[in-house]
Amino acid sequence: MRSLIISAAALLLIMGVWGGFTIHTKNDIETVQYIIEEKMLPQAENEQWEEADANYVYIKKVWDSHHNFYLIFLDGSAITQIQQEMTRLESSLQGREPSGTVTSLKLLSEALDLLYKNELLTIENVF
């Protein structure tokens, strides 16, 4: 009986930590996706490169500030994919390529969305 109580307490602790991490991650990802979809996409389409560069610096700062924390909890291949998309986005921004930048922004937004959805504690993700 004692082992059952200890196991249940440990499980609740793990789920609590994971739930807190999920809420924290959701806020960061939603902020970055908002900047991508509402600010950077129109800026890239209208070739407003200075504003797009400033927003890229901000999302890069958000990502870098939590990168090591994400490595503890999240799938390494998904994080690598996001890093690759951010590198492609940076190259497109530096090259001032509207179509390449828009594509990179959409791919980055989708990768962030999948990263979050795949890490939720749901029945589909557990089993």
Side-chain angles (χ1 to χ4, degrees), residues 15-31:
M15 289 178 68
V17 169
W18 195 265
F21 170 74
T22 302
I23 291 168
H24 175 73
T25 303
K26 179 181 180 188
N27 293 338
D28 287 344
I29 289 176
E30 284 179 348
T31 300

Side-chain angles (χ1 to χ4, degrees), residues 8-127:
L11 181 62
L12 290 174
L13 177 66
I14 290 170
M15 289 178 68
V17 169
W18 195 265
F21 170 74
T22 302
I23 291 168
H24 175 73
T25 303
K26 179 181 180 188
N27 293 338
D28 287 344
I29 289 176
E30 284 179 348
T31 300
V32 169
Q33 284 183 313
Y34 172 79
I35 291 170
I36 288 171
E37 293 168 6
E38 300 298 323
K39 293 183 178 183
M40 291 185 76
L41 279 172
Q43 290 166 350
E45 290 168 350
N46 297 325
E47 299 187 25
Q48 298 170 333
W49 299 114
E50 289 77 24
E51 293 89 352
D53 287 339
N55 284 318
Y56 174 75
V57 168
Y58 177 77
I59 64 171
K60 179 89 168 133
K61 180 180 164 187
V62 169
W63 177 258
D64 288 343
S65 69
H66 297 97
H67 181 259
N68 291 335
F69 187 61
Y70 292 155
L71 284 173
I72 295 170
F73 289 98
L74 302 176
D75 178 31
S77 62
I79 292 174
T80 302
Q81 180 184 3
I82 290 171
Q83 289 291 109
Q84 290 173 344
E85 295 303 333
M86 290 188 80
T87 302
R88 286 187 193 117
L89 174 58
E90 185 175 8
S91 297
S92 296
L93 283 169
Q94 288 175 351
R96 304 296 192 229
E97 303 171 25
S99 62
T101 303
V102 168
T103 302
S104 295
L105 286 166
K106 289 181 179 181
L107 289 171
L108 178 59
S109 181
E110 183 66 25
L112 288 166
D113 191 46
L114 288 174
L115 174 71
Y116 175 72
K117 287 180 181 176
N118 287 338
E119 299 301 328
L120 288 176
L121 281 175
T122 60
I123 297 297
E124 294 86 21
N125 287 343
V126 173
F127 295 109

